[in-house]
Amino acid sequence: MSTLSLVVGLLLTTADAQASTPGGTATVPLDQLIPLYAQREAPKPAPPPTEALVKSQLKGRLSSEALLVDGHFDVEVLADGRWTQVRLLQLDADTYPSELPTLEDATVGVVDGYLCLLTRKAGRYAFDVSLSVRSPGAGPERRAQLRFGPQVSPVPLALEADTSVFTLMEPLPASASEAYAVYPVQGSLRVGWRAAVAQGAQKPQVRPPLEPRITEAHASWVSTLEGRATLRVSYSLSLDREQPLELELPEGHRLERVTLNAIPVPVEAQEGVLKLKAAPARLGETGGTLEVVLARELGVFHLSGRLKLALPRVSWPVAELRARAHFPAVFNYRREGGSLEQVEAATVAEAASSGLPGKELSFRQYLVAASAPTLELGYSVDISNSYFR
């Protein structure tokens, strides 16, 4: 077997290699030397100057007994292939993590009294944590301290404090976001506060009662040619609790039915006065509805005549009242008196949408208080569409 042999002298340059490898020469065939040369170990890369870089933002708010902190951390881990522990915050005896994140390829937890990020893979990890820093001791004055870990640069704390509830123990600069800036001192954030009013001296706030009133009322008269008329009045109530309400019915009217918040109410008028208890439609709301239906005999319509109409007198003030009259179409009607003022008649489309027969007349009155709105109408036969004029 003819093989080109080559004598190669291996010069060992590193001190470790010189100590562990004996010196000398060896004769190796060329076809075996080339694979050995290709398999030589590459030099290891230099380790990073630091294991990780950390950016952080902290926000806080006060409670009666603790400082509540929300922190955002952006950690850039440089070391790879081995475990890296980044100490973020030091947890004293009165500091408790209330919310910790779940990360991929990393873990955030408490190790040896520190809030730490643990990973063995290089990369960027962004996450949020929440802490509760309780104030030791008792009494109205409270103090809390939060210390940074050795691998985190101290940053200010943006503190939200309601000065009507809490008084800060020392003046703090205010930031543009309507929060106070607490700057670290010797790697720690310290906050002191006390309640503006002692806890035992606080009295429950009682909201003054809402003055009951009627924001809007809608009334409608509907009459046949024989004079049988129906009056329907709907009231929009404004109140925050059960309140007494009285309605004095107009003379000559009889009560058909009453509904409160769309529920029929079994009440009867006593000597023309209807007394009931009004309440909001739902608990905690400030609105309700009341509907009253009355009936009356106007008498047979003649060729001409006068109609005297009236609405119930309500014990609550009425901000705005709108009324409509639907009377036989064979007559012309004109307002001749009363507190209700006539307004422009509704359009044909609006009249048709109401579904009520006859001619429609519209009226309104503002600021009705302790009085019964009235209306006087004169009527005469309408001959505008007759053949003989």
Side-chain angles (χ1 to χ4, degrees):
M1 169 178 173
S2 70
T3 305
L4 178 60
S5 300
L6 181 66
V7 178
V8 180
L10 302 176
L11 179 60
L12 305 177
T13 57
T14 64
D16 293 340
Q18 289 177 355
S20 60
T21 305
T25 60
T27 301
V28 181
L30 183 60
D31 57 348
Q32 299 180 15
L33 176 63
I34 293 175
L36 292 175
Y37 184 77
Q39 295 176 5
R40 73 187 187 282
E41 292 184 1
K44 294 183 178 180
T50 182
E51 292 184 342
L53 298 174
V54 182
K55 296 179 181 179
S56 59
Q57 293 180 349
L58 298 179
K59 295 181 180 180
R61 60 189 186 277
L62 297 177
S63 70
S64 59
E65 297 181 352
L67 169 65
L68 308 178
V69 179
D70 296 324
H72 176 77
F73 292 91
D74 197 340
V75 182
E76 187 77 24
V77 178
L78 303 179
D80 194 21
R82 59 184 177 87
W83 283 107
T84 300
Q85 183 186 91
V86 184
R87 295 183 174 183
L88 305 173
L89 297 172
Q90 183 173 346
L91 304 185
D92 296 330
D94 297 311
T95 305
Y96 308 92
S98 56
E99 185 175 349
L100 296 178
T102 301
L103 303 177
E104 186 177 356
D105 301 325
T107 301
V108 177
V110 180
V111 180
D112 297 332
Y114 286 91
L115 181 67
C116 301
L117 171 73
L118 298 174
T119 184
R120 57 183 305 168
K121 184 176 180 180
R124 182 178 180 179
Y125 301 93
F127 53 91
D128 298 321
V129 299
S130 296
L131 303 171
S132 177
V133 187
R134 293 180 58 85
S135 172
E141 295 187 358
R142 301 288 182 170
R143 294 187 180 275
Q145 175 179 270
L146 180 63
R147 293 192 283 179
F148 293 90
Q151 294 166 281
V152 177
S153 299
V155 296
L157 170 71
L159 178 64
E160 297 179 359
D162 188 351
T163 55
S164 64
V165 180
F166 302 104
T167 301
L168 299 176
M169 300 296 292
E170 57 185 28
L172 296 174
S175 62
S177 60
E178 299 182 356
Y180 295 94
V182 181
Y183 289 93
V185 178
Q186 297 179 351
S188 299
L189 293 169
R190 298 181 178 90
V191 180
W193 74 97
R194 64 174 177 267
V197 180
Q199 189 72 20
Q202 288 185 353
K203 297 181 179 180
Q205 296 291 332
V206 178
R207 185 178 64 180
L210 182 66
E211 187 69 22
R213 62 191 182 97
I214 298 173
T215 58
E216 192 176 19
H218 292 271
S220 64
W221 288 281
V222 180
S223 175
T224 64
L225 191 60
E226 293 78 12
R228 290 190 294 270
T230 300
L231 172 60
R232 183 189 305 269
V233 190
S234 177
Y235 301 96
S236 297
L237 309 180
S238 176
L239 71 170
D240 60 354
R241 62 197 70 190
E242 189 178 75
Q243 297 282 2
L245 176 62
E246 291 187 8
L247 286 85
E248 184 177 335
L249 306 185
E251 185 179 355
H253 289 70
R254 65 178 182 276
L255 181 64
E256 294 286 333
R257 66 176 180 274
V258 178
T259 57
L260 179 62
N261 299 324
I263 300 175
V265 179
V267 294
E268 294 183 359
Q270 300 293 334
E271 297 181 355
V273 178
L274 178 64
K275 298 182 179 181
L276 51 86
K277 294 287 187 178
R282 295 179 181 84
L283 184 64
E285 295 185 355
T286 58
T289 58
L290 172 66
E291 186 178 74
V292 179
V293 180
L294 307 175
R296 177 192 175 188
E297 295 293 336
L298 292 176
V300 178
F301 282 81
H302 302 286
L303 295 180
S304 63
R306 292 169 60 90
L307 298 174
K308 292 185 178 182
L309 307 175
L311 296 177
R313 184 188 65 82
V314 189
S315 60
W316 295 2
V318 180
E320 181 180 2
L321 169 64
R322 293 184 176 272
R324 293 183 302 176
H326 298 265
F327 290 150
V330 296
F331 297 101
N332 288 325
Y333 301 91
R334 61 190 180 278
R335 178 185 175 276
E336 295 185 350
S339 61
L340 290 168
E341 295 292 335
Q342 189 169 1
V343 295
E344 184 178 354
T347 62
V348 176
E350 292 176 347
S353 63
S354 65
L356 297 176
K359 286 185 177 180
E360 179 176 325
L361 307 173
S362 298
F363 306 89
R364 70 183 177 190
Q365 183 177 347
Y366 295 103
L367 303 178
V368 182
S371 63
T374 58
L375 176 64
E376 293 185 14
L377 292 177
Y379 68 91
S380 59
V381 175
D382 184 4
I383 62 172
S384 59
N385 295 325
S386 300
Y387 181 77
F388 297 101
R389 299 187 186 179

